[in-house]
Amino acid sequence: MTYTTQMDAAKKGILTKEMETVARKENMEAAVLMDLVAKGRIAIPANKNHKSLDAEGVGEGLRTKINVNLGISKDCRCVDTELDKVRKAIEMKAEAIMDLSSFGKTEEFRRRLVEMSSAMIGTVPMYDAVGFYDKELSEISPEEFLKVVEKHAVDGVDFMTIHAGINRETAGIFKRNSRLTNIVSRGGSLLYAWMELTGNENPFYEYYDELLDICRKYDVTISLGDAYRPGSIADSTDASQIKELIVLGELTKRAWEKDVQVIVEGPGHMSLNEVAANMQLQKKLCHGAPFYVLGPIVTDIAPGYDHITSAIGGAIAAANGADFLCYVTPAEHLRLPNLDDMKEGIIASRIAAHAADIAKGVPGAREWDNSMSKARAELDWEKMFDLSLDPEKARRYRAESKPAHEDSCTMCGKMCAVRNMNRIMDGKNINILREDD
């Protein structure tokens, strides 16, 4: 029996090799996984042309995944520098990499990225359109926008952010309800500008069926972008954001009718007390589709530390139903991230994802922590390093400040509670001021 997409296969009861891979990684029964893929509650982004992919699932009952943003810009256009980031991101076990290149002919970087990456690859075709055609924004036709989407699909991109929910109707809501930071989504702002300049409907909304046909042909997962995501905590959960979310829910059902997998994107900047409710709103309005969040960034005052503000929001979001976290680096709002920024962002996001997985009861999550706790109780430093999210940093910190006694550290020395409890429990003496007997 043949199939077109992972969702089509699941509806027909066909267990694909990608489903087998995800079921094994997640310790989930293949039949359960297949049922959730068929219902749209799990997506397995896996373009037919991405041959190096090691498939991952995003959605209900699975580990929370993280995405790393990369790509060239007009001010930072070195492809080799970005490819170094790709290698490091894969080494650090990021499940997804998004190419957000926004300058010139991006095809070289995108093709090399897909060829070398075992992680799923995402793009935002809207960013590429101006450089692809070498035209000003208002001169690009709806047909040309769709051709860029197909180009990315042919190149092997697994999921694409498509801002289809920003249309003439939602633009009216935005105009009638003022915001502190207007539209901060790059793709969303470009489409809003295109609609204003041309007087036409958003081509990704008007020609959504044609877009779905492209995605079905190559099995591209649509990541429905949130053009009206709040860019400040003042704008969160407002009329524009919620109205767009309602439209995204409608577009989700239309995609599923054509067997196209969907991920829905969410906020954005948002105060802590609103995060859980927003996750519940998304799951309800978008029919349980996987939810992909940027942050949320829970305070606006920490440039240089937004990997931390994002990790706080991301942990709460994922614990309350978000399935996919887009990393945020210390460079957010300031510059294109360098390699060190990227590493900090990955670690912060992985901490948030894992903390949420513990809260959600994801199989195996708590066992990792229990193993670390056992290693600490035994003062087994090498095992602690091996179990660390960042073994390199843990080893370096230990090496930089060596204690006089190996069964302690330079913070507590022989007053170490773990060391002393181990000795007492073994019936040994504790000598704080003198050498041990």
Side-chain angles (χ1 to χ4, degrees):
M1 190 181 297
T2 60
Y3 64 90
T4 54
T5 68
Q6 295 292 322
M7 175 174 267
D8 180 41
K11 289 177 179 178
K12 292 175 176 175
I14 301 171
L15 184 66
T16 66
K17 61 181 176 58
E18 290 82 10
M19 291 181 205
E20 290 178 337
T21 297
V22 173
R24 173 178 49 79
K25 287 181 177 181
E26 302 284 350
N27 295 312
M28 178 179 279
E29 291 183 14
V32 173
L33 176 71
M34 188 187 305
D35 180 61
L36 291 171
V37 173
K39 292 176 178 175
R41 282 149 54 187
I42 287 177
I44 303 178
N47 187 309
K48 296 171 183 178
N49 292 338
H50 188 179
K51 305 303 181 185
S52 59
L53 178 68
D54 186 7
E56 295 282 358
V58 179
E60 185 177 317
L62 307 183
R63 289 178 298 107
T64 305
K65 306 305 187 298
I66 71 163
N67 171 72
V68 171
N69 290 337
L70 299 163
I72 57 174
S73 68
K74 186 173 183 179
D75 293 312
C76 301
R77 62 183 79 173
C78 179
V79 169
D80 289 337
T81 296
E82 295 307 295
L83 290 175
D84 285 341
K85 293 181 189 177
V86 172
R87 295 182 188 96
K88 191 64 178 179
I90 293 170
E91 178 188 323
M92 295 181 72
K93 301 179 182 178
E95 290 91 2
I97 296 172
M98 287 200 78
D99 172 16
L100 304 188
S101 294
S102 60
F103 175 75
K105 305 301 182 184
T106 62
E107 182 178 64
E108 177 195 356
F109 178 66
R110 182 170 60 252
R111 284 187 169 180
R112 291 174 68 180
L113 174 60
V114 170
E115 182 179 355
M116 69 187 288
S117 179
S118 56
M120 52 185 166
I121 301 301
T123 59
V124 188
M126 187 68 197
Y127 297 174
D128 193 25
V130 173
F132 186 83
Y133 292 111
D134 196 20
K135 288 182 176 182
E136 287 300 330
L137 180 65
S138 61
E139 298 172 0
I140 301 173
S141 70
E143 293 77 17
E144 287 173 326
F145 282 122
L146 291 177
K147 285 180 180 177
V148 174
V149 171
E150 184 150 27
K151 176 59 180 168
H152 285 220
V154 170
D155 287 346
V157 171
D158 302 297
F159 66 101
M160 297 184 201
T161 294
I162 304 292
H163 296 92
I166 178 170
N167 58 17
R168 305 300 296 179
E169 181 183 10
T170 57
I173 296 289
F174 168 72
K175 291 175 182 178
R176 294 193 298 274
N177 294 270
S178 64
R179 279 182 151 191
L180 185 61
T181 49
N182 292 318
I183 297 173
V184 300
S185 160
R186 192 193 316 175
S189 66
L190 290 171
L191 279 166
Y192 183 87
W194 186 90
M195 288 191 292
E196 290 295 295
L197 290 168
T198 65
N200 295 327
E201 180 60 277
N202 176 356
F204 297 121
Y205 181 79
E206 185 173 6
Y207 300 100
Y208 190 63
D209 285 329
E210 289 82 351
L211 175 70
L212 293 177
D213 290 339
I214 295 170
C215 293
R216 179 183 173 91
K217 181 177 179 180
Y218 298 94
D219 197 2
V220 172
T221 298
I222 289 186
S223 190
L224 287 170
D226 53 334
Y228 294 109
R229 72 169 181 266
S232 62
I233 61 172
D235 295 336
S236 61
T237 324
D238 70 350
S240 296
Q241 181 196 333
I242 300 305
K243 176 61 178 178
E244 182 183 36
L245 189 60
I246 293 170
V247 175
L248 297 185
E250 295 168 352
L251 295 174
T252 295
K253 293 180 74 173
R254 286 175 60 185
W256 287 347
E257 289 169 2
K258 289 200 171 189
D259 301 324
V260 174
Q261 299 183 103
V262 173
I263 294 170
V264 179
E265 299 184 13
H269 293 235
M270 181 166 289
S271 61
L272 281 172
N273 59 302
E274 296 181 34
V275 174
N278 269 264
M279 302 307 108
Q280 294 165 8
L281 271 174
Q282 186 280 333
K283 288 291 183 177
K284 181 70 174 180
L285 293 174
C286 296
H287 321 292
F291 199 24
Y292 175 26
V293 296
L294 177 68
I297 291 173
V298 294
T299 178
D300 300 331
I301 63 167
Y305 298 91
D306 276 326
H307 59 310
I308 297 173
T309 64
S310 173
I312 293 168
I316 296 170
N320 285 278
D323 307 288
F324 196 11
L325 303 181
C326 185
Y327 92 150
V328 172
T329 77
E332 184 78 7
H333 304 109
L334 300 172
R335 68 176 190 202
L336 188 78
N338 63 25
L339 185 61
D340 287 337
D341 296 329
M342 186 196 76
K343 290 167 63 177
E344 290 292 319
I346 289 173
I347 292 297
S349 295
R350 289 194 65 200
I351 291 169
H354 181 67
D357 288 347
I358 295 170
K360 289 190 285 193
V362 172
R366 186 175 289 272
E367 284 74 11
W368 187 0
D369 289 72
N370 291 344
S371 295
M372 175 63 89
S373 296
K374 185 173 185 295
R376 284 180 173 153
E378 296 171 351
L379 293 171
D380 186 339
W381 298 102
E382 280 303 315
K383 191 168 185 180
M384 284 186 252
F385 299 150
D386 290 341
L387 289 165
S388 297
L389 272 174
D390 188 353
E392 179 184 337
K393 186 173 185 177
R395 283 193 172 88
R396 175 166 56 82
Y397 270 42
R398 173 77 176 170
E400 286 174 351
S401 187
K402 295 291 288 185
H405 299 272
E406 185 61 25
D407 60 350
S408 65
C409 77
T410 54
M411 180 153 186
C412 298
K414 291 180 71 176
M415 288 189 182
C416 172
V418 176
R419 171 190 183 274
N420 291 335
M421 285 304 300
N422 287 346
R423 293 181 67 84
I424 288 293
M425 298 296 284
D426 288 341
K428 296 178 181 178
N429 190 20
I430 296 174
N431 294 318
I432 304 296
L433 302 178
R434 301 179 303 278
E435 290 299 315
D436 295 328
D437 297 333

